[in-house]
């Protein structure tokens, strides 16, 4: 009984070829729908106003700031050509007082942090303007490559006199008050930054992906396909897909554990794809399955069907624990003993318990990699014939991927590539490269400022 119960549970996380194809078809449908929708609730397929990627040969000095919920990062990025960059970066904590004060105080402080960076790099440009790229991790209605109206901020921010104003004006007014010759040349999303920054290092890059606590992607689309874009004419444009907001129960192979995660989330029925693949949820899927299996006496039978209190809170089983366990290549899986003893106070696991827990964790990790590969395949198919040529024997296509899940989860890259090979076939997949991309936030913002400054934006 217990063996079949366990195997039935694990089998729910194994995707068939038909299920993978349904994911690709479903996401493709949503990608197409996002190009034309005028529904304000549909936030997918956002135009970036950036019309080309860097070549890797550009040189010069550009500034960047990356403003998130906790910290402000400032950076001076030296583009050295040949895909090489030199970066001087500083990090400043955004205090509660700043978050709940006036907009003027916040943007004066940002200008002060920028002045401190310029002092660090001993930069004096005389009267010449310094061009800055901005990564802004808050809701923004973007109207040009360097302009966007600030919407609700959240993340503990409650600034007066900011909502509804243009971010470029807010920043540049602060710089003027501090006598800094800084011009905001680009405002970007960090996923667009990942694509642009990796394209500088590796010019064959056509897709940028973030796979961390959450997930998102950016790619290059034919401009005539983006019917919701109303700006100046161009041939192509980088789009921020916001694929985190995609995914429908009608085509996603959700288990009862996926449905439970969705049901107790802040917005049920939203971000259903992300809830099945990203770092925030993978560990929780393991926890829910373990709780169910323990209650059915299909695992850890010595507990007598009683779930330890330590395993009962939501998100108690971290995705980091999955990484730790999958990193242990020993046949005894001793890392499982360590995790369960240290984090949950559970001892006495049998060899069979360890084998089963390892299989469960490995299968859930594999599903995440397979579904991410399916989403990448949807983008590759959508871009094929324009920015991507899957059947050109001489063309390599690189996908730059940033984020802790791709970087640190054991064998994730290999599992993704295996899945892509099954989806695309050996010939097409042999010309796809998955590469770790780093820091789209600051380096990406600086590079987009450079692209914009040199005419690569509308």
């Amino acid at each position: 009984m217990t063996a079949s119960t366990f195997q039935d549970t694990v089998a729910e996380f194994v995707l068939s070829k038909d299920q993978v194809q349904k994911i690709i078809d479903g996401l493709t449908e949503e990608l197409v729908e996002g190009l034309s929708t005028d529904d304000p609730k549909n936030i997918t397929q956002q135009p970036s106003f950036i019309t080309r990627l860097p070549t890797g040969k550009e040189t010069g000095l550009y500034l960047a700031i990356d403003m998130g919920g906790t910290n402000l990062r400032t950076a001076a990025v030296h583009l050295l050509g040949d895909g090489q960059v030199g970066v001087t970066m500083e990090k400043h904590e955004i205090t509660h007082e700043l978050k709940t004060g006036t907009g003027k105080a916040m943007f004066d402080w940002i200008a002060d942090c920028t002045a401190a960076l310029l002092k660090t790099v001993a930069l004096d440009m005389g009267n010449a303007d310094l061009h800055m790229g901005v990564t802004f991790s808050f809701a923004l209605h973007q109207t040009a490559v360097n302009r966007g109206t600030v919407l609700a901020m959240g993340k503990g921010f409650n600034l007066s006199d900011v909502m509804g104003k243009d971010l470029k004006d807010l920043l540049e007014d602060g710089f003027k008050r501090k006598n800094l010759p800084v011009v905001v040349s680009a405002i970007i999303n960090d996923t667009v930054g990942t694509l642009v920054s990796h394209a500088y290092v590796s010019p064959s890059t056509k897709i940028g992906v973030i796979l961390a606590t959450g997930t998102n992607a950016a790619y290059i689309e034919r401009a005539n396909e983006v019917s919701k874009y109303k700006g100046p004419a161009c041939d192509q444009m980088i789009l921020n897909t916001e694929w985190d907001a995609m995914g429908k129960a009608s085509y996603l192979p959700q288990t009862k554990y996926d449905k439970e995660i969705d049901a107790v989330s802040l917005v049920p029925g939203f971000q259903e794809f992300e809830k099945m693949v990203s770092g925030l949820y993978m560990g929780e899927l393991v926890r829910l399955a373990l709780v169910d299996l323990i209650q059915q006496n299909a695992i850890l039978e010595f507990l007598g069907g009683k779930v330890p209190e330590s395993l009962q809170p939501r998100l108690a089983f971290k995705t980091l624990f999955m990484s730790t366990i999958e990193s242990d290549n020993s046949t005894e899986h001793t890392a499982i003993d360590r995790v369960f003893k240290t984090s949950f106070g559970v001892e006495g696991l049998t060899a069979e318990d360890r084998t089963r827990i390892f299989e469960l964790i490995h299968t859930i990790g594999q599903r995440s990699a397979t579904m991410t590969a399916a989403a990448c395949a949807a983008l590759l198919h959508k871009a094929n014939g324009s920015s991507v040529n899957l059947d050109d024997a001489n063309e390599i296509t690189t996908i730059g991927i940033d984020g802790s899940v791709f970087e640190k989860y054991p064998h994730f890259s290999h599992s993704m590539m295996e899945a892509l090979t099954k989806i695309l076939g050996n010939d097409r997949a042999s010309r796809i490269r998955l590469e770790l991309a780093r820091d789209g936030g600051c380096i990406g913002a600086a590079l987009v400022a450079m692209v914009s400054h040199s005419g690569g934006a509308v």
Side-chain angles (χ1 to χ4, degrees):
M1 163 66 184
T2 59
S4 63
T5 302
F6 173 76
Q7 290 304 335
D8 287 347
T9 299
V10 168
E12 285 192 58
F13 291 101
V14 178
L15 302 182
S16 68
K17 187 176 179 182
D18 285 349
Q19 285 175 314
V20 172
Q21 190 58 51
K22 275 185 81 173
I23 295 168
I24 296 168
D25 293 344
L27 287 173
T28 301
E29 204 172 288
E30 291 198 59
L31 287 167
V32 172
E33 183 188 341
L35 295 173
S36 59
T37 182
D38 51 11
D39 179 358
K41 289 183 185 156
N42 187 334
I43 62 167
T44 65
Q45 299 287 60
Q46 295 284 334
S48 69
F49 300 87
I50 301 153
T51 57
R52 69 169 176 83
L53 290 169
T55 63
K57 296 173 183 172
E58 296 90 349
T59 57
L61 177 85
Y62 293 85
L63 301 181
I65 59 172
D66 182 357
M67 186 174 175
T70 308
N71 298 306
L72 173 79
R73 292 189 302 156
T74 60
V77 179
H78 291 262
L79 306 180
L80 306 171
D82 295 322
Q84 302 295 309
V85 294
V87 184
T88 303
M89 192 178 298
E90 295 179 348
K91 188 161 80 169
H92 308 268
E93 185 183 352
I94 306 172
T95 64
H96 176 72
E97 288 73 25
L98 281 167
K99 289 181 183 181
T100 55
T102 65
K104 181 176 181 294
M106 172 63 80
F107 289 99
D108 280 353
W109 175 75
I110 291 172
D112 287 338
C113 293
T114 304
L117 173 78
L118 296 178
K119 194 172 181 184
T120 300
V121 295
L123 191 65
D124 181 6
M125 299 282 285
N127 295 322
D129 285 339
L130 290 162
H131 291 270
M132 173 181 275
V134 178
T135 299
F136 191 67
S137 302
F138 303 92
L140 196 74
H141 173 58
Q142 196 151 354
T143 53
V145 70
N146 61 352
R147 290 201 170 274
T149 307
V150 180
L151 305 176
M153 290 186 70
K155 301 184 188 180
F157 282 75
N158 186 21
L159 297 173
S160 61
D161 306 322
V162 166
M163 287 268 289
K165 293 193 174 173
D166 194 286
L167 183 60
K168 175 181 169 75
D169 294 337
L170 290 165
L171 285 163
E172 289 184 356
D173 286 349
F175 295 140
K176 281 171 191 161
R177 287 192 293 270
K178 302 291 180 174
N179 296 312
L180 296 176
V182 178
V183 174
V184 174
S185 295
I187 298 168
I188 66 160
N189 160 280
D190 58 354
T191 314
V192 171
T194 296
L195 169 56
V196 173
S197 64
H198 201 65
Y200 185 78
V201 175
S202 185
S204 60
T205 305
K206 299 296 162 62
I207 293 171
V209 174
I210 288 183
L211 190 60
T213 309
T215 183
N216 194 10
Y219 76 112
I220 306 159
E221 183 56 271
R222 307 164 184 87
N224 61 6
E225 296 257 317
V226 194
S227 56
K228 70 179 178 186
Y229 167 68
K230 308 299 183 196
C234 56
D235 293 330
Q236 60 177 23
M237 182 173 290
I238 297 173
L239 297 183
N240 163 25
T241 67
E242 292 290 355
W243 77 16
D244 55 309
M246 295 184 189
K248 294 175 182 171
S250 57
Y251 67 80
L252 291 175
Q254 291 172 314
T255 65
K256 63 181 178 181
Y257 311 112
D258 295 300
K259 289 173 183 171
E260 190 172 337
I261 283 175
D262 183 48
V264 301
S265 65
L266 287 172
V267 189
F270 179 58
Q271 298 185 316
E272 294 191 70
F273 171 73
E274 177 173 282
K275 288 168 185 167
M276 295 178 74
V277 303
S278 76
L280 180 60
Y281 302 103
M282 287 163 67
E284 179 66 356
L285 283 167
V286 173
R287 187 192 71 83
L288 289 171
L290 284 173
V291 165
D292 193 22
L293 290 166
I294 290 168
Q295 288 172 336
Q296 296 184 70
N297 258 326
I299 207 165
L300 307 180
E301 290 181 46
F302 61 87
L303 294 173
K306 291 183 180 170
V307 179
E309 275 189 32
S310 55
L311 253 180
Q312 290 176 16
R314 272 187 77 220
L315 305 176
F317 199 98
K318 311 284 185 219
T319 303
L320 174 64
F321 300 160
M322 297 174 69
S323 287
T324 302
I325 288 165
E326 284 231 54
S327 296
D328 174 12
N329 295 318
S330 68
T331 50
E332 297 81 22
H333 305 304
T334 51
I336 293 175
D337 277 333
R338 288 197 304 277
V339 167
F340 273 75
K341 180 180 178 181
T342 307
S343 300
F344 303 106
V346 175
E347 296 183 75
L349 282 74
T350 65
E352 186 178 39
D353 284 331
R354 289 192 297 272
T355 300
R356 286 184 175 180
I357 290 168
F358 184 86
E359 186 181 348
L360 175 69
I361 285 170
H362 178 71
T363 306
I364 289 173
Q366 284 275 106
R367 190 189 73 163
S368 176
T370 301
M371 289 184 67
T372 307
C376 288
L379 286 184
L380 288 166
H381 288 147
K382 183 71 191 72
N384 193 31
S386 57
S387 60
V388 171
N389 292 292
L390 291 174
D391 296 310
D392 185 337
N394 299 311
E395 184 173 305
I396 299 294
T397 300
T398 298
I399 302 173
I401 307 177
D402 188 9
S404 52
V405 173
F406 184 78
E407 181 178 5
K408 295 179 179 171
Y409 197 95
H411 323 301
F412 202 92
S413 172
H414 178 72
S415 299
M416 266 187 78
M417 201 61 234
E418 272 194 337
L420 270 174
T421 302
K422 285 179 185 171
I423 294 165
L424 299 174
N426 289 328
D427 180 53
R428 283 177 159 187
S430 69
R431 295 184 291 278
I432 304 294
R433 303 285 182 270
L434 305 179
E435 293 181 0
L436 179 63
R438 292 183 185 276
D439 198 14
C442 270
I443 297 173
L447 276 157
V448 175
M450 177 275 297
V451 170
S452 172
H453 176 51
S454 57
V458 288

